[in-house]
Amino acid sequence: MAKSKNNAKKLSYISVPSQIINSLSSSSLQSLLLSPKKSSRNNRFLYLFSTYRSPRFWFFFLFLFGLFGMLKLGFNLDPLVPFSPYPCVTGQSQDLSSTGYSKSEKMAMAINGGDSQKNGVLTTNSFSETLTGNGISEMEENVEQNEFWKQPDGLGYKPCLAFTREYRRVSEGIVNDRRKYLIVVVSGGMNQQRNQIVDAVVIARILGAALVVPVLQVNVIWGDESEFSDIFDLDHFKKVLANDVRIVSSLPSTHIMTRPVEESRTPLHASPTWIRSRYLKKIKREGVLLLRGLDSRLSKELPSDLQKLRCKVAFHALRFAPPILELGNKLAERMRSKGPYLALHLRMEKDVWVRTGCLPGLSHEYDEIINNERKQRPELLTARSNMTYHERKLAGLCPLNALEMSRLLKALGAPRNARIYWAGGQPLGGKEALLPLTSEFPNFYNKEDLALPGELEPFANRASLMAAIDYIVSENSDVFMPSHGGNMGHAIQGHRAYAGHKKYITPNKRQMLPHFLNSSLSAAEFNRIIKYLHHESLGQPEPRTSKAGRDVTKYPVHECMCNDSHAHSRS
């Protein structure tokens, strides 16, 4: 027993991990327990051999190898082997330019401002993002969004109102004349009145007469009784045109009792020659000439100096009154506070659907409202009466509704988080009519949304002043798009061109609507077609003379804008 106890005292224990015990054979385990301090070379060999045979060992080894491989690809440890962001795409070698880079790689270089290209090697870390659900990478989405805000190439065109020496010589006699006075009554909405005021100044110049501040006829639709000085800055108007036409607030005492010669039948496209032959003798004899209904009466084909005068009136003299300008600029600043913004001019009011002979497309109930109104007042129809609604629609004569505007914007790459300002009157159907737009673009505002309590009160129930506020916010936007042609859209198009050709999207309704009706097109193909149809309708410089009958206040190149290759002489 004593011997046994002594032996028990000599026993020692070691702690061995279970993983090692499971990997050892029984003989190896026994030798280890009996002789823990004496590890022979043979026993070490057996231990290593049994370890290498373990599945756990090889699993761990393969895991490390795979991890290293992924790190190598993800971080581009070997710059000599470019990594394709789209490993499943075939035929990419055919998509390389002469620089040796694929389109996707050049896209990364463009976004990173060229920083991706260092020492002749393209860094492709930014393309390690996963593909989104529709197969387009986040990087491509960002490129598309940046492309939407990209401004057209203005080709260096700048305002160029250099009047000839002969024009300046005659001006002195015109502004000093005290015998002839022209009174003009303008009608319609604010933008329509604006166009007639431009024509009135030019006609006064042609006749060598002083222009009495234009009289704004009360609008029969909105009942707006605003006067010229309520909408425009009268002092600025007089000052800017001081060397071209004398502007007076009222007739002088010498002419106050004079019965003016009234003319209300000025023909379309009246030339300076016709105006002089028709009106000059009468205004010299009577001293006062009264003209009405000038809308689009003056010819669009005028001598160069008169074209420049039109631009001077439209883009310099007709500045909005200080209260309107102040609030309009405030709202524009609030829109821009979080980045670029898009302005839409939506023509979805009840009277617009009636006048155009079109239907809003909201429901059968609303279509019936428009049809009944049109039957009761057929004189309101300004579109071609011999065409059906569907014929007008396919001819591009109808305003786009909210659903069509939404589809167009998405196809052109407008980001969902784009801040949108919409100008225009209350649409037929109210908020329901705007749902297709507001559901796709939640950052959707108008002047009522942006104005603080009380800011719009001075302009309440005065449609012309409200339209002027819309004009200011729209003109200051990064991108502008109207749903239909009209005086406001045309005026802003010219204003944005004169300001350096800021982006202006003209919907190509006639060519795009058939594709809207083609349900077999995939989203990608539809977007490609829509972008192609509009690639030359983004506000690029377009000479007025390229198409007959164009207004210089809509297309100011080349008469009112010039670059190095189209410099105008000052002589």
Side-chain angles (χ1 to χ4, degrees):
M1 286 296 287
K3 186 176 180 179
S4 176
K5 290 179 180 180
N6 292 336
N7 289 338
K9 292 179 181 179
K10 294 180 180 179
L11 292 175
S12 60
Y13 298 89
I14 63 173
S15 176
V16 181
S18 60
Q19 293 91 338
I20 297 178
I21 293 175
N22 293 333
S23 66
L24 296 177
S25 63
S26 59
S27 59
S28 300
L29 181 59
Q30 184 178 4
S31 63
L32 179 63
L33 294 174
L34 292 176
S35 306
K37 296 182 180 180
K38 298 180 179 179
S39 177
S40 64
R41 182 180 301 175
N42 187 48
N43 289 337
R44 287 198 301 270
F45 175 78
L46 290 174
Y47 168 73
L48 294 173
F49 178 77
S50 60
T51 302
Y52 294 152
R53 292 183 61 188
S54 171
R56 294 174 181 271
F57 171 83
W58 288 107
F59 178 82
F60 183 71
F61 177 80
L62 291 174
F63 172 78
L64 290 176
F65 182 82
L67 178 62
F68 177 79
M70 286 189 291
L71 290 173
K72 181 178 179 66
L73 293 176
F75 291 98
N76 195 24
L77 296 178
D78 187 0
L80 297 178
V81 184
F83 170 58
S84 170
Y86 306 113
C88 296
V89 177
T90 59
Q92 185 173 354
S93 61
Q94 299 176 0
D95 208 22
L96 297 177
S97 66
S98 59
T99 61
Y101 300 134
S102 68
K103 288 183 179 179
S104 57
E105 292 168 339
K106 289 188 288 184
M107 190 185 301
M109 293 168 62
I111 292 176
N112 295 327
D115 293 336
S116 298
Q117 189 179 12
K118 297 178 180 179
N119 300 324
V121 179
L122 183 68
T123 303
T124 56
N125 298 352
S126 57
F127 278 99
S128 60
E129 293 99 333
T130 57
L131 297 181
T132 59
N134 60 357
I136 304 175
S137 70
E138 293 180 6
M139 184 62 70
E140 286 178 315
E141 288 182 348
N142 291 336
V143 169
E144 187 177 40
Q145 293 176 8
N146 291 338
E147 189 72 20
F148 180 80
W149 299 115
K150 182 180 178 182
Q151 297 299 309
D153 183 1
L155 301 178
Y157 281 103
K158 297 179 180 179
C160 185
L161 300 182
F163 293 96
T164 63
R165 182 179 299 138
E166 177 63 17
Y167 179 92
R168 298 195 301 271
R169 185 187 66 79
V170 175
S171 294
E172 184 177 357
I174 292 177
V175 297
N176 290 327
D177 186 278
R178 298 293 187 272
R179 297 171 299 163
K180 303 187 294 293
Y181 293 87
L182 175 65
I183 301 175
V184 173
V185 178
V186 299
S187 59
M190 188 276 293
N191 292 289
Q192 191 174 359
Q193 292 172 342
R194 184 188 183 101
N195 294 338
Q196 294 172 56
I197 293 169
V198 172
D199 287 353
V201 172
V202 176
I203 292 174
R205 173 77 191 197
I206 293 172
L207 297 174
L211 176 66
V212 180
V213 173
V215 178
L216 275 55
Q217 184 174 308
V218 177
N219 193 292
V220 295
I221 297 178
W222 298 288
D224 190 341
E225 299 182 359
S226 298
E227 297 181 356
F228 185 97
S229 57
D230 295 325
I231 305 174
F232 303 105
D233 188 334
L234 179 56
D235 291 337
H236 179 79
F237 184 71
K238 292 179 178 180
K239 181 178 179 181
V240 171
L241 297 175
N243 295 325
D244 305 278
V245 174
R246 190 164 69 93
I247 309 294
V248 296
S249 298
S250 60
L251 289 174
S253 58
T254 55
H255 290 68
I256 197 69
M257 300 301 294
T258 303
R259 182 178 180 179
V261 179
E262 183 172 350
E263 290 285 346
S264 57
R265 294 184 179 181
T266 303
L268 290 171
H269 315 303
S271 67
T273 301
W274 187 94
I275 289 172
R276 291 190 186 97
S277 64
R278 176 80 177 186
Y279 299 143
L280 192 55
K281 288 184 178 179
K282 294 180 180 180
I283 196 173
K284 283 183 176 179
R285 183 179 67 247
E286 303 295 336
V288 180
L289 175 66
L290 172 62
L291 295 180
R292 298 178 185 269
L294 282 183
D295 191 26
S296 300
R297 298 293 168 175
L298 185 62
S299 173
K300 302 298 185 290
E301 305 299 329
L302 299 172
S304 176
D305 283 325
L306 295 181
Q307 297 284 39
K308 288 181 174 63
L309 180 58
R310 286 177 60 81
C311 291
K312 187 174 183 179
V313 179
F315 305 135
H316 295 276
L318 282 175
R319 187 172 72 184
F320 291 113
I324 298 174
L325 196 59
E326 181 181 0
L327 180 57
N329 287 331
K330 281 183 180 179
L331 300 187
E333 290 171 4
R334 290 169 193 169
M335 282 299 300
R336 191 176 297 285
S337 63
K338 295 183 180 179
Y341 72 94
L342 159 71
L344 303 178
H345 186 211
L346 302 180
R347 305 303 311 279
M348 299 167 59
E349 303 96 322
K350 179 181 177 181
D351 71 288
V352 174
W353 297 118
V354 172
R355 287 187 290 104
T356 57
C358 302
L359 298 176
L362 292 173
S363 66
H364 178 72
E365 176 187 358
Y366 285 111
D367 289 349
E368 281 301 308
I369 292 175
I370 296 302
N371 283 326
N372 292 335
E373 183 80 12
R374 195 176 295 133
K375 290 177 182 177
Q376 294 173 10
R377 303 183 64 186
E379 72 278 3
L380 295 178
L381 181 62
T382 56
R384 300 176 186 177
S385 58
N386 61 338
M387 298 177 70
T388 66
Y389 157 63
H390 293 289
E391 289 173 338
R392 290 190 184 96
K393 186 78 172 176
L394 292 177
L397 300 177
C398 290
L400 297 177
N401 59 33
L403 178 59
E404 292 160 342
M405 289 289 281
S406 177
R407 292 189 67 189
L408 177 57
L409 286 174
K410 289 171 64 179
L412 293 175
R416 176 174 170 79
N417 64 350
R419 292 171 61 80
I420 298 179
Y421 179 87
W422 70 276
Q426 187 67 21
L428 177 67
K431 292 183 178 180
E432 178 187 349
L434 298 174
L435 274 178
L437 271 167
T438 56
S439 60
E440 292 291 342
F441 302 96
N443 299 319
F444 201 75
Y445 312 97
N446 65 358
K447 51 186 172 291
E448 284 80 10
D449 300 319
L450 297 173
L452 299 178
E455 283 186 323
L456 288 176
E457 286 183 6
F459 314 104
N461 301 319
R462 304 180 78 176
S464 294
L465 307 190
M466 290 293 197
I469 293 172
D470 276 342
Y471 190 102
I472 295 169
V473 184
S474 298
E475 202 283 320
N476 280 283
S477 66
D478 297 270
V479 180
F480 177 83
M481 183 172 77
S483 68
H484 191 55
N487 292 304
M488 178 173 172
H490 294 166
I492 289 183
Q493 179 177 347
H495 217 135
R496 293 176 72 85
Y498 196 74
H501 290 93
K502 296 160 64 178
K503 191 168 187 177
Y504 180 104
I505 303 173
T506 304
N508 192 339
K509 292 184 288 186
R510 181 177 298 180
Q511 295 190 39
M512 77 181 188
L513 285 177
H515 300 290
F516 276 56
L517 303 174
N518 187 354
S519 59
S520 65
L521 290 175
S522 66
E525 181 67 9
F526 176 79
N527 294 350
R528 185 192 66 78
I529 292 173
I530 295 302
K531 286 181 180 177
Y532 175 77
L533 292 177
H534 292 85
H535 75 285
E536 292 183 347
S537 303
L538 304 176
Q540 299 95 328
E542 192 172 352
R544 183 192 68 84
T545 53
S546 63
K547 188 177 292 186
R550 283 181 167 177
D551 192 336
V552 73
T553 61
K554 184 179 178 183
Y555 298 94
V557 175
H558 294 95
E559 286 97 337
C560 301
M561 300 185 76
C562 53
N563 58 13
D564 292 340
S565 60
H566 292 89
H568 287 244
S569 173
R570 293 182 179 270
S571 60

